[in-house]
C-alpha cells in the first residue's frame, strides 16, 4: 500500500519526468540531454530551462555619415532568406520564400509585398477592427519600388514562384523605410538559395540650397527640391525614381552620377554577409527554348512578321490581328508535323521573333513600326473645357493614346488623410489614374486598387505637384481624375499633359504647363561579354515598342526643368552614360508637346459664371464655432443638407465650399443668422419680431442679439399702433442706428426706406462683411483674427469655361413663388401668424376679386430710386405682354408684365401696389 501511494505521489509531482531523467526542454520544442550529471533529489527543485544561443551575423557600414547595420540569423530563421537592416531606430525585416513547384509557366511570378503596421510607431490602428486592412497606396508604391530593380536580375527561363516580404519593425519617423527595405530585400535574396544576379544598392539623394545630400532625413526632404531614388548594380543602372521642382537636365545628371558610387557602397556588405551565412544556390529547372525549335519557328514566321512591321499603314489593332493570324498559321503547321516541343513554347518563340525583327529594323535602318523617325513625336490633339459644367476638364491625345482628365475642387477639410509611418498626415492634391479594359478593347473586371494604376497616377501626381501654387496662397483640395480612353503607349505621360490643361481650365494658377514623354532604348549586346555594342534611343514609344524594347524612361517637366522621372528596364542593367544621353531627346519631345498645349490654353481661366465654385474663409472664436456645429454636429449637418454646401471647421477658422454664388449666399445667410457678426451702426440686418410693446417691438437678430425697434422708427408716416405695422414672428430687414455703452441696440425700419437708401435684405447685405477678390487666392493667414468677432475673406474661384454673353450677377438671384394677398392671409391664419391687415382700414385692404397671382420676373433688377420692381402675372410658359398704366383689374392677363411698388411687408410675403387700386401679394418661397 505504501509503494502504491509513493507511485501515485510521483505521478502528481509538479516536476516532469524528463527533469528526473536529467533532460531539459530547449527552445523550439525539442529535447536534449543536459550536460550536467544526474541531479540529486535535494537540488532537483532548482533546475531551470536551458538557454538557446542564436547564431547571428552582422555587417556595419556607413553611408552619407549615417551608420547602417545589416543582420541575419536572429529573426525569421525558417525563411529561405531573411535580413534585418537598421538605421538609427528604424528597422526593416525582409524575407524571401520560393515555391517548390516545377516552374512550368512562361513568366516569372514574383510578388513583392511591403508592410507598414502601426505597432512600428507605437500606435493602435484607428479602424473599427483595430487592425490593418488591405494594403494602402504607399505600401503598394514601396512594393513597386522594390520590385522594379530586382526583377531584371533573375535568370532567363526562371519561372518559379518567388515572394519577397518587407516589414517595418520599428520607425523613429526620421528616415523613410522604403530605401532600407529595398536593400534588405537584396540582402535576403543573396542569403537565399534562389538564383539571382544581385546584389543591388539603392540610395536616396536630396538637394538643399544647391547642395546634394546623401540619405536625407524626412526633415531635410521637406526642404529639398529633389527626391531622387537610384538603384544599380556595380556598373549598371537598374531603376530611377525622381520627384523634383523643375531641376535642369544638367543638375539631374550630376545627381545621378553622385548617386551611383554611393549606392554601390551597399554591395560589399551584402557580399560579405552572404559569404558568412548564405545558402548554396539551388539548381532550379529553367524553361529554355531549344535552338532547333527556335530556328524552325523563325523560318516559318519571320518573313510574314517582317511584312507586317514594314507596313506603316497598319494601326494598333490591325497590326495585332495580322500578327495573331501569323501565330495561328505557325501553330497549324507545327500541329501537322506533330512537333510537341515547339508547340509548348510557340507563343514565347513567336514573340521572340517579333522582337528580333523590330529591333533589327530600328538598329539597321532607323525606322520604327509606324514609319516615324527615331526622335519624332506622334500627332497631338489638345482640348480644354471638354465638359464645361465641371470645375475643369481636358482631352489629350497623342497618336492613338487618349486620356480624359477632370478636376474637382474642395475645401481644405477634403484632403486625404494618410496613415503612413513617415511623411505628412494628409495631402491636398490627389491624382487618380484609371485604366479601364475598353481602352485596349478587352473584357475585364474592375477590382480594388491596382498596382499599375496607383503607380502611374502617383507619377503624374508628382509631375504636377511641382507647379501648383503654394498651400498658403491656394489652401484648397484638388482632385484630378484621369480616365484612359484609348491606350497605345505612355498613358501616364498623357495624363500629365491632360492634367495640366485641366488644372488651368479649372482656374488654378499653375506656374508652368507640364508635359511628359516616354523614351525607349533598343540595343545590341555582345553575347560573350555582355557589353552593349550598338543602341538607338527612341522618343515617344508605342506600346509595342515598350514591350519589345529595353526600357521605358518616362520624363515629365516644364520648359524650365524636370519635375518627375520613372525608369523601368528589362535587361540586367543599362550603363548610366546611356541614361544621361536620353535626357536631351526627351527635352526636345517635351517642348514640342508643350507648344500644342499652350496654343490651346496658356493661362488659368479667369471669367466667372454660375457654375463656378465659391469658397469663403471666415474667422470666429472657438465658442462661436461650437455654437454653429451644435450637439454632435447636428446644426452643421442640417445647414449642409439644406444648402448642398460643405462646411469644415478648424481652430478659429470656418471654411465653406459652395457650388455657385447662389448657394454661397444662402449658406452665409444661415451662418450669419446663427452666429451673427460685429454690430456696426449703419449696418443692415435681418431679424424676427419676438414681442410687441406699446412703445415699439423687440427684434431678435444677428445670432440671438436683441434690439429695440421704437414706434417712431417704424415708418415715415405717423403710426398709432405698433401692431398695425409689424407682428410677432414677422421677419424684417432693419438698420442699426445706435448702440450705447451698455450694449443696448436701437433699430430702424424706416431708415431702409428713405429715398436713395439701400433696400436690400440681409442676404444682399452679406457683401458688406465679405470682400470678393476674383482671380486671386489670398492666404488664410492674411485674414485678421478678431476675438469674439468675425472678419471674412470671400474668394471666388475663377473657374469659368466660356464667357456668358448677357449674363449678370443678378441672374443668380433666387426665384419667388407669387400668390395673392388673400391666399397669404389664409395661410398666415392657418399657421397662427398675426396678420397686420386685420387692423388696417377697409379701404387699404385688397379684395380677393382684385388680387392676382403674380411672380417676380427672373433677372429683373431693383430700382433703388423709386422702389419699383417688374413682375409678371401667371406662369413663365405663357406669352408675356407689357401694359402701360393706368391699370384696371379687367386688363390683367396671365403672362402680362407689370410694374409694381412694394406697399407693405408681411411676415411671409410682400403686398404689391399695381396701381388703379389693385394690389397683389407674392409669398417668399
Amino acid at each position: 500500500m505504501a509503494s502504491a501511494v509513493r507511485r501515485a505521489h510521483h505521478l502528481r509531482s509538479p516536476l516532469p519526468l524528463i527533469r528526473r531523467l536529467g533532460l531539459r526542454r530547449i527552445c523550439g520544442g525539442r529535447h536534449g540531454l543536459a550536460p550536467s550529471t544526474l541531479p540529486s533529489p535535494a537540488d532537483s527543485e532548482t533546475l531551470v530551462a536551458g538557454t538557446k544561443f542564436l547564431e547571428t551575423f552582422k555587417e556595419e557600414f556607413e553611408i552619407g555619415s549615417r551608420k547602417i547595420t545589416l543582420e541575419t540569423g536572429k529573426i525569421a530563421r525558417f525563411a529561405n532568406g531573411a535580413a534585418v537592416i537598421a538605421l538609427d531606430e528604424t528597422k526593416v525585416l525582409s524575407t524571401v520564400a520560393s515555391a517548390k513547384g516545377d516552374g512550368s509557366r512562361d513568366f516569372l511570378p514574383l510578388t513583392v509585398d511591403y508592410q507598414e503596421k502601426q505597432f512600428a510607431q507605437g500606435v493602435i490602428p484607428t479602424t473599427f477592427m483595430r487592425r490593418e486592412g488591405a494594403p494602402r497606396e504607399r505600401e503598394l508604391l514601396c512594393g513597386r519600388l522594390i520590385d522594379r530593380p530586382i526583377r531584371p536580375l533573375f535568370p532567363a527561363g526562371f519561372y518559379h514562384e518567388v515572394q519577397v516580404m518587407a516589414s517595418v519593425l520599428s520607425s523613429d519617423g526620421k528616415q523613410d523605410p522604403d530605401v532600407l527595405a529595398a536593400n534588405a530585400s537584396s540582402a535576403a535574396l543573396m542569403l537565399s538559395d534562389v538564383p539571382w544576379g544581385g546584389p543591388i544598392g539603392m540610395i536616396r539623394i536630396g538637394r538643399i540650397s544647391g547642395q546634394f545630400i546623401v540619405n536625407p532625413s524626412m526633415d531635410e526632404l521637406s526642404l529639398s527640391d529633389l527626391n531622387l531614388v537610384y538603384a544599380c548594380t556595380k556598373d549598371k543602372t537598374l531603376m530611377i525614381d525622381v520627384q523634383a521642382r523643375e531641376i535642369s537636365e544638367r543638375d539631374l545628371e550630376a545627381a545621378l552620377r553622385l548617386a551611383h558610387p554611393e549606392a554601390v557602397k551597399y554591395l560589399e556588405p551584402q557580399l560579405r554577409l552572404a559569404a558568412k551565412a548564405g545558402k548554396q544556390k539551388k539548381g532550379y529547372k529553367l524553361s529554355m527554348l531549344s535552338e532547333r525549335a527556335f530556328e524552325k519557328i523563325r523560318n516559318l514566321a519571320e518573313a510574314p512578321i517582317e511584312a507586317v512591321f514594314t507596313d506603316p499603314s497598319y494601326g494598333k489593332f490591325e497590326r495585332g490581328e495580322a500578327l495573331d493570324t501569323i501565330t495561328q498559321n505557325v501553330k497549324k503547321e507545327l500541329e501537322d508535323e506533330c512537333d510537341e516541343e515547339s508547340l509548348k513554347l510557340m507563343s514565347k518563340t513567336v514573340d521572340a521573333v517579333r522582337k528580333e525583327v523590330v529591333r533589327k529594323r530600328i538598329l539597321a535602318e532607323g525606322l520604327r513600326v509606324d514609319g516615324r523617325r527615331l526622335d519624332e513625336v506622334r500627332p497631338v490633339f489638345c482640348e480644354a473645357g471638354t465638359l464645361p459644367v465641371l470645375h475643369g476638364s481636358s482631352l489629350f491625345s497623342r497618336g492613338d493614346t487618349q486620356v480624359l482628365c477632370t478636376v474637382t475642387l474642395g475645401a481644405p477639410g477634403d484632403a486625404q488623410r494618410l496613415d503612413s509611418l513617415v511623411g505628412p498626415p494628409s495631402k491636398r492634391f490627389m491624382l487618380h489614374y484609371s485604366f479601364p479594359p475598353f481602352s485596349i478593347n478587352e473584357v475585364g473586371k474592375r477590382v480594388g486598387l491596382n498596382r499599375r494604376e496607383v503607380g502611374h497616377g502617383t507619377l503624374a501626381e508628382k509631375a504636377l505637384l511641382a507647379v501648383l501654387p503654394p498651400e498658403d496662397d491656394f489652401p484648397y483640395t484638388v482632385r484630378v481624375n484621369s480616365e484612359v480612353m484609348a491606350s497605345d503607349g505612355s498613358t501616364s505621360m498623357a495624363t500629365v499633359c491632360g492634367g495640366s490643361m485641366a488644372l488651368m481650365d479649372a482656374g488654378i494658377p499653375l506656374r508652368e504647363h507640364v508635359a511628359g514623354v516616354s523614351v525607349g532604348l533598343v540595343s545590341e549586346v555582345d553575347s560573350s561579354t555582355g557589353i552593349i555594342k550598338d543602341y538607338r534611343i527612341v522618343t515617344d514609344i508605342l506600346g509595342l515598342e515598350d514591350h519589345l524594347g529595353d526600357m521605358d524612361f518616362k520624363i515629365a517637366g516644364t520648359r524650365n526643368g524636370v519635375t518627375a522621372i520613372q525608369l523601368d528596364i528589362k535587361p540586367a542593367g543599362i550603363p548610366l552614360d546611356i541614361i544621361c544621353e536620353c535626357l536631351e531627346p526627351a527635352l526636345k519631345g517635351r517642348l514640342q508637346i508643350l507648344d500644342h498645349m499652350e496654343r490651346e490654353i496658356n493661362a488659368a481661366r479667369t471669367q466667372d459664371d454660375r457654375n463656378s465654385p465659391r469658397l469663403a474663409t471666415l474667422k470666429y472664436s472657438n465658442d462661436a464655432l461650437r455654437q454653429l456645429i451644435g450637439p454632435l454636429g447636428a446644426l452643421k449637418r442640417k445647414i449642409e443638407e439644406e444648402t448642398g454646401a460643405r462646411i469644415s471647421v478648424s481652430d478659429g477658422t470656418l471654411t465653406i465650399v459652395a457650388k455657385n454664388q447662389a448657394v454661397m449666399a444662402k449658406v452665409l445667410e444661415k451662418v450669419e443668422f446663427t452666429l451673427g457678426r460685429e454690430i456696426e451702426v449703419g449696418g443692415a440686418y435681418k431679424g424676427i419680431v419676438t414681442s410687441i410693446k406699446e412703445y415699439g417691438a423687440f427684434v431678435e437678430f444677428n445670432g440671438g442679439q436683441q434690439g429695440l425697434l421704437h414706434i417712431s422708427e417704424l415708418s415715415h408716416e405717423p403710426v398709432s399702433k405698433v401692431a398695425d405695422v409689424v407682428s410677432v414672428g414677422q421677419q424684417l430687414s432693419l438698420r442699426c442706428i445706435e448702440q450705447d455703452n451698455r450694449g443696448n441696440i436701437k433699430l430702424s425700419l424706416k431708415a431702409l426706406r428713405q429715398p436713395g437708401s439701400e433696400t436690400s435684405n440681409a442676404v444682399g447685405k452679406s457683401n458688406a462683411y465679405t470682400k470678393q477678390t476674383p482671380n486671386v487666392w489670398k492666404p488664410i493667414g492674411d485674414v485678421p483674427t478678431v476675438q469674439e468677432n468675425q472678419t471674412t475673406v470671400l474668394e471666388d474661384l475663377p473657374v469659368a469655361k466660356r464667357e456668358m454673353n448677357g449674363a449678370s450677377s443678378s441672374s443668380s438671384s433666387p426665384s419667388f413663388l407669387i400668390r395673392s394677398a388673400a391666399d397669404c392671409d389664409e395661410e398666415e391664419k392657418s399657421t397662427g401668424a398675426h396678420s397686420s391687415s386685420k387692423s388696417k382700414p377697409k379701404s387699404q385692404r385688397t379684395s380677393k376679386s382684385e388680387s392676382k397671382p403674380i411672380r417676380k420676373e427672373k433677372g429683373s433688377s431693383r430700382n433703388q430710386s423709386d422702389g419699383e420692381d417688374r413682375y409678371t402675372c401667371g406662369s413663365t410658359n405663357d406669352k408675356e405682354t407689357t401694359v402701360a398704366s393706368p391699370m384696371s383689374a379687367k386688363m390683367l392677363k396671365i403672362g402680362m408684365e407689370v410694374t409694381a411698388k412694394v406697399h407693405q411687408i408681411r411676415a411671409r410675403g410682400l403686398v404689391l401696389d399695381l396701381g388703379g387700386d389693385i394690389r397683389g401679394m407674392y409669398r417668399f418661397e
Side-chain angles (χ1 to χ4, degrees):
M1 177 63 94
S3 176
V5 171
R6 282 195 298 272
R7 284 197 298 271
H9 174 72
H10 289 314
L11 293 175
R12 295 195 302 268
S13 174
L15 291 177
L17 181 63
I18 57 174
R19 291 193 180 179
R20 299 271 183 190
L21 298 177
L23 298 174
R24 291 183 183 175
R25 182 175 293 276
I26 309 299
C27 289
R30 286 174 284 188
H31 297 120
L33 285 172
S36 60
T37 60
L38 289 175
S40 63
D43 60 359
S44 62
E45 299 290 341
T46 62
L47 293 179
V48 294
T51 302
K52 181 173 183 177
F53 295 96
L54 301 177
E55 187 179 14
T56 61
F57 302 91
K58 184 182 294 186
E59 289 291 333
E60 294 183 353
F61 53 101
E62 192 173 290
I63 295 180
S65 70
R66 298 179 186 270
K67 181 181 177 181
I68 299 175
T69 303
L70 202 57
E71 181 181 325
T72 187
K74 181 183 288 187
I75 301 178
R77 296 169 63 86
F78 282 178
N80 199 331
V84 176
I85 192 169
L87 174 58
D88 296 333
E89 296 301 322
T90 300
K91 295 185 178 181
V92 181
L93 165 68
S94 186
T95 60
V96 173
S98 179
K100 303 298 189 292
D102 57 357
S104 56
R105 53 180 66 88
D106 60 352
F107 67 97
L108 171 62
L110 171 65
T111 303
V112 179
D113 294 319
Y114 173 88
Q115 289 182 320
E116 284 185 351
K117 294 194 174 182
Q118 294 299 307
F119 72 79
Q121 58 179 352
V123 173
I124 296 176
T126 57
T127 60
F128 178 77
M129 299 297 294
R130 295 297 186 267
R131 65 183 302 167
E132 289 78 12
R136 296 184 294 271
E137 282 191 14
R138 171 175 163 79
E139 292 175 320
L140 296 178
L141 293 172
C142 292
R144 281 173 54 89
L145 200 70
I146 301 170
D147 183 294
R148 286 156 52 194
I150 67 175
R151 186 178 290 271
L153 297 182
F154 285 93
F158 179 79
Y159 298 143
H160 294 264
E161 188 173 2
V162 178
Q163 184 177 33
V164 178
M165 295 189 67
S167 304
V168 181
L169 301 180
S170 66
S171 173
D172 56 9
K174 298 178 182 178
Q175 198 77 22
D176 196 328
D178 56 355
V179 171
L180 296 176
N183 289 293
S185 300
S186 173
L189 283 167
M190 293 296 295
L191 293 166
S192 71
D193 61 13
V194 177
W196 188 62
I200 68 165
M202 184 179 289
I203 197 73
R204 174 175 271 112
I205 302 292
R207 188 178 72 166
I208 301 177
S209 301
Q211 299 295 321
F212 292 115
I213 300 174
V214 179
N215 266 356
S217 64
M218 295 304 299
D219 292 337
E220 291 171 333
L221 271 180
S222 63
L223 303 174
S224 174
D225 62 354
L226 172 67
N227 185 359
L228 164 65
V229 179
Y230 180 87
C232 64
T233 59
K234 185 176 181 180
D235 53 0
K236 291 184 179 180
T237 301
L238 288 170
M239 190 273 300
I240 299 175
D241 199 275
V242 174
Q243 179 180 359
R245 299 175 189 166
E246 298 182 278
I247 185 173
S248 66
E249 279 75 11
R250 180 179 178 182
D251 292 344
L252 180 61
E253 181 178 348
L256 293 172
R257 296 196 180 279
L258 170 66
H260 188 90
E262 294 293 334
V264 168
K265 294 179 182 179
Y266 279 99
L267 306 184
E268 191 61 32
Q270 296 181 49
L271 293 172
R272 293 197 301 264
L273 191 66
K276 296 177 186 177
K279 298 179 180 178
Q280 184 70 27
K281 295 298 181 182
K282 188 185 294 186
Y284 284 85
K285 178 184 176 182
L286 302 180
S287 300
M288 301 300 292
L289 184 65
S290 66
E291 189 69 25
R292 183 193 67 83
F294 180 78
E295 288 296 331
K296 185 175 184 178
I297 294 176
R298 183 169 65 176
N299 293 334
L300 294 172
E302 185 175 19
I305 287 176
E306 189 171 353
V308 172
F309 284 145
T310 53
D311 188 352
S313 64
Y314 277 110
K316 175 180 179 177
F317 291 104
E318 292 81 3
R319 189 185 305 117
E321 291 174 0
L323 293 174
D324 288 341
T325 302
I326 295 172
T327 303
Q328 294 301 320
N329 293 337
V330 173
K331 182 180 179 180
K332 184 178 180 181
E333 190 79 21
L334 295 176
E335 289 175 344
D336 293 342
E337 298 179 7
C338 299
D339 191 344
E340 295 295 334
E341 179 188 359
S342 300
L343 281 172
K344 287 182 180 179
L345 300 173
M346 183 199 64
S347 60
K348 197 80 174 176
T349 307
V350 172
D351 190 64
V353 175
R354 294 177 188 173
K355 184 175 181 178
E356 186 179 89
V357 170
V358 172
R359 294 167 70 89
K360 185 185 298 182
R361 187 162 182 259
I362 291 176
L363 288 170
E365 305 174 26
L367 294 177
R368 302 165 67 173
V369 174
D370 56 356
R372 283 184 293 151
R373 300 187 306 273
L374 299 181
D375 60 348
E376 186 177 350
V377 178
R378 287 173 287 175
V380 175
F381 170 81
C382 301
E383 182 183 71
T386 306
L387 304 172
V389 74
L390 302 183
H391 296 170
S393 61
S394 70
L395 185 66
F396 180 85
S397 298
R398 186 180 58 245
D400 290 333
T401 297
Q402 187 182 64
V403 171
L404 174 67
C405 291
T406 61
V407 172
T408 307
L409 303 174
D414 295 328
Q416 180 184 2
R417 290 185 298 174
L418 306 175
D419 292 329
S420 57
L421 299 180
V422 294
S426 63
K427 66 176 182 179
R428 67 186 182 102
F429 178 66
M430 301 162 283
L431 194 148
H432 296 152
Y433 168 97
S434 179
F435 191 90
F438 68 78
S439 64
I440 50 176
N441 196 25
E442 289 185 358
V443 177
K445 185 182 295 184
R446 300 296 296 165
V447 291
L449 286 178
N450 180 282
R451 293 192 178 215
R452 179 180 178 276
E453 291 182 342
V454 171
H456 282 31
T458 302
L459 174 62
E461 183 180 298
K462 291 178 181 178
L464 295 172
L465 192 61
V467 297
L468 283 178
E471 187 170 359
D472 291 339
D473 297 338
F474 188 79
Y476 317 126
T477 300
V478 181
R479 184 191 183 210
V480 179
N481 265 85
S482 172
E483 301 290 331
V484 178
M485 299 289 105
S487 173
D488 190 15
S490 193
T491 54
S492 61
M493 294 296 96
T495 295
V496 174
C497 303
S500 181
M501 291 194 300
L503 289 170
M504 282 198 176
D505 184 58
I508 301 176
L510 303 184
R511 291 202 305 269
E512 294 277 344
H513 256 316
V514 184
V517 69
S518 187
V519 176
L521 177 71
V522 175
S523 62
E524 184 180 358
V525 180
D526 190 331
S527 58
S528 59
T529 61
I531 300 175
I532 296 179
K533 298 189 299 183
D534 194 12
Y535 64 90
R536 296 289 184 273
I537 297 173
V538 183
T539 304
D540 185 21
I541 58 176
L542 297 170
L544 183 66
E545 293 169 335
D546 180 14
H547 173 66
L548 302 178
D550 293 333
M551 77 173 185
D552 183 9
F553 194 11
K554 303 181 181 73
I555 306 175
T558 66
R559 293 185 181 274
N560 301 324
V562 174
T563 59
I565 282 180
Q566 180 177 296
L567 170 65
D568 296 320
I569 67 169
K570 294 181 179 66
I574 295 174
L576 182 58
D577 291 338
I578 296 179
I579 300 295
C580 295
E581 187 180 341
C582 295
L583 297 176
E584 184 63 26
L587 174 60
K588 293 180 180 179
R590 188 168 78 240
L591 294 178
Q592 295 178 39
I593 299 172
L594 285 171
D595 290 338
H596 287 274
M597 295 168 59
E598 290 172 354
R599 281 197 293 268
E600 175 63 20
I601 179 171
N602 58 8
R605 298 204 189 276
T606 57
Q607 178 68 28
D608 292 334
D609 66 13
R610 57 187 175 184
N611 292 325
S612 304
R614 299 291 191 271
L615 189 143
T617 303
L618 305 97
K619 292 293 183 179
Y620 284 101
S621 66
N622 289 329
D623 291 337
L625 292 178
R626 280 191 287 270
Q627 178 185 350
L628 176 66
I629 294 173
L632 300 177
L635 184 56
K636 171 178 170 288
R637 287 196 302 270
K638 181 181 178 182
I639 295 175
E640 290 179 332
E641 291 171 0
E642 290 178 351
T643 62
R646 304 184 70 173
I647 300 175
S648 60
V649 177
S650 59
D651 187 18
T653 303
L654 175 69
T655 305
I656 305 171
V657 177
K659 292 181 63 176
N660 50 52
Q661 183 57 41
V663 175
M664 176 61 73
K666 191 175 182 181
V667 178
L668 289 176
E669 178 186 357
K670 290 182 176 294
V671 171
E672 177 190 345
F673 188 78
T674 304
L675 299 181
R677 65 180 192 268
E678 183 180 6
I679 298 297
E680 298 178 0
V681 176
Y685 300 90
K686 194 172 185 178
I688 296 178
V689 178
T690 58
S691 63
I692 295 178
K693 307 295 182 182
E694 293 182 359
Y695 50 85
F698 285 96
V699 180
E700 182 179 344
F701 72 108
N702 199 38
Q705 291 182 290
Q706 291 281 344
L708 174 62
L709 177 59
H710 195 265
I711 190 172
S712 61
E713 296 295 332
L714 289 173
S715 175
H716 294 287
E717 300 176 359
V719 177
S720 59
K721 202 173 181 181
V722 177
D724 292 343
V725 181
V726 296
S727 59
V728 175
Q730 184 175 350
Q731 191 172 15
L732 302 174
S733 294
L734 306 164
R735 187 182 296 279
C736 176
I737 58 175
E738 184 181 347
Q739 183 179 16
D740 59 22
N741 295 331
R742 293 180 294 177
N744 297 324
I745 301 170
K746 292 185 179 181
L747 304 172
S748 174
L749 182 61
K750 68 179 184 180
L752 288 177
R753 299 184 179 181
Q754 293 177 355
S757 66
E758 184 178 343
T759 61
S760 63
N761 57 18
V763 177
K765 187 59 182 176
S766 62
N767 289 336
Y769 67 99
T770 61
K771 295 187 297 181
Q772 297 189 13
T773 54
N775 313 331
V776 178
W777 285 266
K778 293 188 177 180
I780 292 178
D782 291 347
V783 181
T785 302
V786 181
Q787 185 66 21
E788 300 296 331
N789 294 321
Q790 168 235 344
T791 303
T792 305
V793 173
L794 175 63
E795 298 167 343
D796 291 352
L797 301 182
V799 293
K801 314 303 178 301
R802 299 289 182 264
E803 293 185 1
M804 305 294 291
N805 295 328
S808 64
S809 60
S810 63
S811 63
S812 61
S813 61
S815 60
F816 296 93
L817 177 63
I818 310 304
R819 294 184 179 179
S820 67
D823 291 339
C824 291
D825 286 339
E826 289 181 6
E827 184 160 347
E828 288 180 359
K829 290 178 183 178
S830 62
T831 56
H834 296 279
S835 175
S836 61
S837 62
K838 293 181 180 180
S839 58
K840 285 280 181 180
K842 187 175 181 179
S843 61
Q844 296 182 8
R845 299 173 65 180
T846 304
S847 65
K848 185 175 181 180
S849 61
E850 294 178 325
S851 63
K852 297 289 183 178
I854 300 174
R855 68 172 181 85
K856 186 175 181 179
E857 182 183 353
K858 189 173 182 180
S860 62
S861 59
R862 182 171 294 246
N863 189 330
Q864 304 214 359
S865 62
D866 56 10
E868 294 184 351
D869 270 350
R870 297 174 65 191
Y871 296 87
T872 305
C873 292
S875 171
T876 57
N877 297 328
D878 299 314
K879 183 177 179 181
E880 296 185 357
T881 306
T882 304
V883 65
S885 58
M887 177 70 65
S888 65
K890 295 181 179 180
M891 297 174 59
L892 291 178
K893 296 180 180 180
I894 299 297
M896 178 181 294
E897 182 179 312
V898 297
T899 302
K901 291 185 179 181
V902 177
H903 175 70
Q904 189 181 53
I905 300 176
R906 298 282 187 90
R908 303 185 183 279
L910 298 178
V911 178
L912 304 176
D913 187 356
L914 307 181
D917 294 330
I918 299 177
R919 295 192 181 96
M921 186 175 225
Y922 71 83
R923 177 181 177 273
F924 298 123
E925 184 177 355

